Amino acid sequence: MSRSDLISLERYAEARGDFRAKTLKHKPDCQVRLGVNATLYFEDRLTVLYQVQEMLRVERIVQAPGIDEELDAHDPLIADGRNSKATFMLKFPDVEQRKVELARLIGIADQTWVRIDGFEPVNAIADEELERDTDEKTSSAHCARFELSDDMAAAAKNGASNSPGIDHEHYSVRAEPLPKHLRGALVADLDSLPHVKCASRHFSSLFIGI
């Protein structure tokens, strides 16, 4: 994503209502429930573009260095050829229950996985540059990357199903295969070339509208 993908704050102010409505309508199509309390929010270009535009609006960022900083921070949320990226959220309505559960669920993001039919599950690479677990508790929000092999990507592009799940001692679930529309969107992010890993970049996330 580059500056050419963005619009000015003035134009965004005029278009924000329609753009926000479009994004919020799209977001449920990118969500996968994992049991009662966990959800994966898969990211794509539209959801990340919305986050960047909202951040620029809120912070009134108009100068090129500031815009580039936001683009650099959010770019890692976009899949880059051999992976899917998602925000992993834990939600507990009761405050006291949330405290207890987050203490029990340390490490849960690392034990969240996706499985391409015919292959072993691929565990998330979670919170790569910002550790969200402590000795006392985990966070309610995590960044997750699911890195696929060339064979897995080829199978997915040829129509193999993709199923998510969690294998944590206190929270274990195997969800149904991803719906066709979401599977198609994730496959569209996979390229047909041998995967070259990107150099490490600053990783941050912004949870707006979730």
Side-chain angles (χ1 to χ4, degrees):
M1 186 179 294
S2 66
R3 271 184 268 162
S4 64
D5 294 307
L6 304 172
I7 59 177
S8 68
L9 294 188
E10 291 77 11
R11 288 182 59 200
Y12 185 64
E14 297 174 357
R16 182 174 182 259
D18 289 341
F19 187 35
R20 176 177 170 81
K22 176 182 178 181
T23 306
L24 295 184
K25 182 180 179 180
H26 171 68
K27 276 190 172 185
D29 291 338
C30 300
Q31 300 175 14
V32 178
R33 293 290 298 273
L34 295 173
V36 177
N37 304 110
T39 306
L40 281 170
Y41 296 85
F42 285 96
E43 304 285 359
D44 63 12
R45 186 166 291 273
L46 176 61
T47 63
V48 176
L49 179 60
Y50 171 70
Q51 293 184 38
V52 173
Q53 291 279 184
E54 282 292 289
M55 190 58 157
L56 298 179
R57 181 187 73 87
V58 170
E59 298 293 335
R60 302 298 299 175
I61 298 172
V62 296
Q63 299 297 323
I67 294 172
D68 289 340
E69 183 177 345
E70 289 303 322
L71 289 170
D72 288 344
H74 286 83
D75 189 55
L77 293 174
I78 301 174
D80 55 16
R82 273 295 177 273
N83 53 45
S84 297
K85 297 182 179 180
T87 299
F88 175 71
M89 300 287 291
L90 292 167
K91 295 184 179 181
F92 299 92
D94 182 78
V95 174
E96 292 306 315
Q97 181 193 13
R98 180 165 64 249
K99 291 179 181 178
V100 172
E101 294 300 329
L102 292 182
R104 296 174 71 237
L105 295 176
I106 296 171
I108 189 172
D110 297 302
Q111 294 171 18
T112 301
W113 48 262
V114 298
R115 188 179 75 83
I116 305 298
D117 189 34
F119 296 88
E120 292 297 313
V122 174
N123 278 33
I125 300 171
D127 307 324
E128 293 181 83
E129 296 198 20
L130 180 61
E131 181 57 56
R132 294 177 182 269
D133 283 343
T134 68
D135 292 337
E136 290 77 32
K137 67 181 183 67
T138 189
S139 171
S140 59
H142 299 265
C143 300
R145 171 166 62 91
F146 301 97
E147 198 70 33
L148 306 182
S149 68
D150 289 350
D151 288 341
M152 291 176 185
K157 292 177 76 70
N158 286 327
S161 64
N162 186 342
S163 303
I166 301 173
D167 283 332
H168 188 277
E169 61 176 327
H170 299 303
Y171 196 103
S172 181
V173 61
R174 282 159 174 72
E176 295 294 320
L178 298 181
K180 185 177 180 180
H181 63 268
L182 178 52
R183 190 169 71 245
L186 297 180
V187 165
D189 286 333
L190 299 174
D191 60 35
S192 300
L193 301 173
H195 183 44
V196 178
K197 288 187 179 292
C198 297
S200 176
R201 292 173 291 182
H202 174 66
F203 194 102
S204 70
S205 62
L206 172 67
F207 307 112
I208 293 179
I210 293 178

